Amino acid sequence: KSPETEFTYTERDVALYNIGVGAKATELKYVFEGHEDFQVLPTYGVIPQFDAEMPFSFDEVVPNFSPTMLLHGEQYLEVRRYPIPTAARTKNYGRLIEVVDKGSAAVLRSGVTTVDAETGTELFYNEATVFLRGCGGFGGQKKPADRGAATAPNTPPGRLPDVVVESRTDEDQAAIYRLSGDYNPLHIDPGFAKMGGFKKPILHGLCSMGVAAKAVYERFGPFRNIKVRFAGVVLPGQTLVTEMWRGEGSSRVVFQTKVKETGKLAISGGGAELVDPAGDKEKG
Ligand code: HDC
């Protein structure tokens, strides 16, 4: 049975999260609780999982676990209810899904369901994979199971993207983002980052995901689910370029995000299923 953990958030947490993924002071609906359309960006749904108790410890399921060698590999989020409350008391249920043996690394997938504690309504469902460097070679399964939208490759079509959005992150982006709930020292402590093999603290994968998803949301509207793979490291201050493809008559958006300064992929295999199959803010 999954352990049950409470997680409560307020309008202050909502504004802090929105700023953490790039909302500006002028975007009042994201930063001012008195605005008539005050709202939380849908990827806030990834936050309650950080407080969820898991029915396992890394040391129990992989060899040689070291926190400095952990990287976020992929994230899948389902938003089970719109509008998302801008304050709520939630209950969270965490479970282990699978551990894949990649030879030198292990890829561990866990799931968390978030329920509104007052109404019992499901708000979010998450699947997170962490890439555990140095933890493979234990003789486990070599490939992840097919889990539908959660594992879809979302390969972009071979044409230019339909929409491109540039978002400059701030030098202080990770310092702000972490206050939403991911306190991993990798993103703030230079010594810890060095032990993990990085010259300086790197940006949270979920911060990049939030930035990319904000671009998808603002152009195409709310999504039922969203999936990303963290393909490369981002440093706070770099500019993220999100390229989006919208299939004709399709409710899916495929996207990827590059680091402008290097041209390298930060997010690959991005996919989102829209609530409104015709949703496109530019086309009305
Ligand atoms: O892709 C490489 C990389 O560096 N990616 C970027 C990682 C990153 O920056 N993540 C975000 C920052 S870390 C973070 O935010 C931590 C956070 O604080 C905590 C999160 C906790 C979440 C939990 C919530 C409760 C790297 C290093 C990941 C892989 O590169 P390589 O070693 O070169 O691997 P490669 O040769 O390309 O592939 C080997 C096999 O692994 C699979 N794979 C690759 N990237 C993956 C991945 N699997 C999952 N996720 C990824 N991102 C490949 O498919 C390949 O498998 P196979 O051999 O079967 O084809």
Side-chain angles (χ1 to χ4, degrees):
K1 192 174 176 292
S2 295
E4 180 183 290
T5 326
E6 278 212 11
F7 172 80
T8 299
Y9 66 91
T10 63
E11 290 185 331
R12 178 185 178 283
D13 299 312
V14 162
L16 181 62
Y17 174 80
N18 288 341
I19 294 167
V21 296
K24 301 290 176 214
T26 48
E27 295 178 292
L28 291 182
K29 65 181 179 186
Y30 299 136
V31 299
F32 175 39
E33 65 288 352
H35 189 270
E36 58 180 12
D37 192 24
F38 181 63
Q39 58 179 279
V40 64
L41 284 158
T43 45
Y44 187 73
V46 302
I47 296 299
Q49 68 179 335
F50 281 90
D51 276 23
E53 196 186 317
M54 287 291 168
F56 68 92
S57 72
F58 286 116
D59 284 317
E60 284 167 3
V61 291
V62 295
N64 309 317
F65 174 70
S66 162
T68 58
M69 300 304 275
L70 178 151
L71 291 172
H72 205 159
E74 293 187 333
Q75 184 68 38
Y76 173 68
L77 164 69
E78 287 178 7
V79 179
R80 297 246 164 114
R81 193 211 116 153
Y82 282 98
I84 302 168
T86 51
R89 186 167 70 86
T90 71
K91 287 185 175 169
N92 294 274
Y93 304 88
R95 70 193 174 103
L96 178 63
I97 297 175
E98 68 181 5
V99 188
V100 178
D101 187 346
K102 291 289 177 195
S104 67
V107 175
L108 181 150
R109 178 177 291 261
S110 56
V112 174
T113 304
T114 301
V115 175
D116 187 318
E118 314 297 337
T119 62
T121 313
E122 285 191 9
L123 297 176
F124 310 114
Y125 171 70
N126 278 278
E127 290 188 13
T129 69
V130 284
F131 195 93
L132 305 169
R133 293 172 292 165
C135 297
F138 54 90
Q141 70 187 80
K142 295 275 178 274
K143 293 278 174 200
D146 180 350
R147 301 184 54 78
T151 51
N154 299 316
T155 312
R159 59 181 161 90
L160 289 174
D162 301 322
V163 184
V164 180
V165 173
E166 269 194 34
S167 323
R168 202 183 82 77
T169 67
D170 196 273
E171 303 276 345
D172 301 323
Q173 203 78 48
I176 295 165
Y177 181 81
R178 65 192 295 274
L179 302 177
S180 284
D182 182 351
Y183 296 105
N184 186 343
L186 176 63
H187 310 293
I188 192 85
D189 178 355
F192 188 97
K194 232 170 229 132
M195 283 195 279
F198 301 104
K199 287 203 181 93
K200 52 182 181 173
I202 65 172
L203 194 60
H204 302 73
L206 290 178
C207 180
S208 301
M209 177 187 182
V211 171
K214 180 171 183 283
V216 172
Y217 173 71
E218 287 178 343
R219 175 62 190 248
F220 297 109
F223 41 80
R224 288 188 201 289
N225 64 45
I226 186 163
K227 181 243 161 185
V228 295
R229 169 175 281 204
F230 302 112
V233 167
V234 178
L235 297 175
Q238 288 182 319
T239 295
L240 296 173
V241 182
T242 300
E243 304 174 333
M244 299 169 243
W245 290 264
R246 177 68 194 285
E248 204 56 52
S250 151
S251 61
R252 285 195 74 73
V253 173
V254 167
F255 64 95
Q256 63 183 20
T257 301
K258 288 178 180 154
V259 174
K260 188 176 182 186
E261 289 77 2
T262 62
K264 290 190 181 152
L265 279 172
I267 290 174
S268 66
E273 192 191 330
L274 305 177
V275 170
D276 175 3
D280 187 336
K281 299 265 153 92
E282 297 281 295
K283 290 185 182 153

